[in-house]
Amino acid sequence: MNEYLIAKAAQIIRNGGLVAFPTETVYGLGANALNPIAVAKIFELKERPSFDPLIVHIASVDDLNTLTKNADRNVIRLAEKFWPGPLTIVLPKSKLVPDIVTSGLDTVGIRMPDNEIALKLIRAANCPIAAPSANKFGNLSPVSAEHVKKQLPNVDYILDGGNTSVGIESTIVSIERNVCTLLRPGVITIADIENALPNTFVFNAEKPHKLIAPGLLKSHYSPVKPLYIIDKQAIYLPESSGIIIHGKKDQIFNAQKYIYTSQSFNHLEIAANLFSALHAMEDDENIKQIFIEPVPEVGLGLAIMDRIKKAAYKYQ
Ligand code: AMP
Ligand code: MG
C-alpha cells in the first residue's frame, strides 16, 4: 500500500476523524482511543449501543503498561506468544483510557493486529486506535473494503487492504493471575491458550456474568435475509435459496446458488471465507433465504459455529 494513503489516514485519526482499516480478522472502524469525542463518532456511525465496549489496537507491547494495570507475567506471555495476532486481552484499564471506550467498565480489551497496514496506521497516528468492526451494529462483519462501503458509506476514509485473512473476530480472554476466561471464541482456541500458560486455568464463559458484552449476545453478525442452519444430509429447499457449504458434497441440494467456504472442510478456510459467503448471498437479488451447513463445535469449529448461530438466531 502507498505510504501516502496511510499518512493521510493517520492525519484523519489525529484530527479526530474515523478511518476504516483492514486487520487480519475483519475491517475495523478506527478512532483515536484517547479522544472521547472521536470515539463517540464510532458509536454514532455504527449505531452501536453505548453499553458495548470497544477494543483498543496497539502497535507496541509497551502500550500495555500505559493503557492497563496488572499486566503480569501471564499477560506478557500471551502477548509475546500471540501478538501481533487475533487475541484480545481484557485487563483493568488505566486512567488514560476514556470511559466511553470501555462503556464505563473498569476493564479494557487490547490487541495488536497482525496486519501491516493496521500496524503502520497505528504508528503513524501515534496513538492507540479504538476500533470495533466497521459495520452497522448487529449486521454482518466486513472482510473487504466493499463490505465497509456497503454499510458505512459516510465514513471519513477507508484504507483498502483487500480481503482479510482470518475472517472472523478475535478471540477475547480476560485474565486475572492464573485464571483465564474465554469471553469470545476465535481462531486462537482454548487449547492454544492452555499450551501457552501451563499453570493457568482456562474457562469458557458460557454465561457472561456481570460483563455486558454484545459480542456475547445470542443474536449478532446477522445478514438482512433469513439464514437457517441445515441439520439434515439432504433437504429440499424453497425457491430462491442459497446454500453455504464447507466441503465437497455428494448430497443433492436444489439451491439456486452454492458457495463453498472450503473444498475440504478446512476450518481455517471456513473461518476466512464465512462472512464473504454471507455477504455474497446477502448481495444477490435472486436469493431470498440462505441456508448454511453447520460444523462440529470443537477447536476452531467453536468460533465458526458461534458466528453462524448468532447470525441465524433471529430467524429461527
Ligand atoms: P467488536 O470489536 O465489534 O468485535 O466488538 C468488541 C467486543 O469486545 C465487545 O462486543 C465485547 O464483547 C468485547 N469487549 C471489549 N472490551 C471488553 C471488556 N472490557 N470486557 C469484556 N468484553 C469486552
Ligand atoms: Mg462487531
Side-chain angles (χ1 to χ4, degrees), residues 193-258:
I193 293 167
E194 281 170 343
N195 285 338
L197 304 178
N199 300 318
T200 296
F201 304 99
V202 187
F203 294 104
N204 187 347
E206 292 278 11
K207 301 224 162 67
H209 313 288
K210 60 183 177 174
L211 289 171
I212 302 167
L216 304 170
L217 290 175
K218 284 187 171 161
S219 177
H220 208 54
Y221 322 115
S222 295
V224 296
K225 295 173 185 173
L227 173 72
Y228 306 104
I229 301 171
I230 49 169
D231 55 2
K232 300 198 177 62
Q233 288 291 325
I235 53 170
Y236 192 80
L237 305 174
E239 243 176 66
S240 310
S241 294
I243 188 162
I244 298 171
I245 312 178
H246 313 299
K248 273 253 168 289
K249 285 276 171 306
D250 294 332
Q251 314 96 303
I252 313 289
F253 296 99
N254 61 319
Q256 181 160 350
K257 185 183 181 90
Y258 292 78

Side-chain angles (χ1 to χ4, degrees), residues 75-243:
V75 174
I76 299 301
R77 200 172 295 169
L78 283 185
E80 279 174 353
K81 172 99 192 187
F82 296 111
W83 285 357
L87 179 71
T88 297
I89 307 176
V90 171
L91 287 169
K93 78 174 193 73
S94 76
K95 286 211 177 79
L96 206 60
V97 180
D99 286 333
I100 187 167
V101 172
T102 65
S103 300
L105 295 174
D106 52 12
T107 54
V108 59
I110 309 262
R111 89 177 189 98
M112 190 190 296
D114 187 12
N115 177 293
E116 266 314 304
I117 297 173
L119 292 171
K120 283 181 178 169
L121 175 67
I122 299 166
R123 288 194 198 105
N126 200 23
C127 61
I129 294 186
S133 47
N135 54 338
K136 290 279 187 201
F137 180 73
N139 291 8
L140 289 177
S141 296
V143 293
S144 71
E146 287 70 34
H147 297 159
V148 178
K149 274 178 218 148
K150 180 168 83 168
Q151 296 192 36
L152 304 177
N154 296 327
V155 62
D156 295 325
Y157 197 64
I158 302 175
L159 280 171
D160 187 348
N163 285 358
T164 65
S165 56
V166 170
I168 59 172
E169 299 81 354
S170 59
T171 303
I172 305 182
V173 296
S174 69
I175 180 156
E176 249 186 284
R177 297 210 187 92
N178 61 344
V179 178
C180 183
T181 310
L182 182 77
L183 299 175
R184 178 172 74 185
V187 294
I188 292 173
T189 61
I190 290 183
D192 294 332
I193 293 167
E194 281 170 343
N195 285 338
L197 304 178
N199 300 318
T200 296
F201 304 99
V202 187
F203 294 104
N204 187 347
E206 292 278 11
K207 301 224 162 67
H209 313 288
K210 60 183 177 174
L211 289 171
I212 302 167
L216 304 170
L217 290 175
K218 284 187 171 161
S219 177
H220 208 54
Y221 322 115
S222 295
V224 296
K225 295 173 185 173
L227 173 72
Y228 306 104
I229 301 171
I230 49 169
D231 55 2
K232 300 198 177 62
Q233 288 291 325
I235 53 170
Y236 192 80
L237 305 174
E239 243 176 66
S240 310
S241 294
I243 188 162

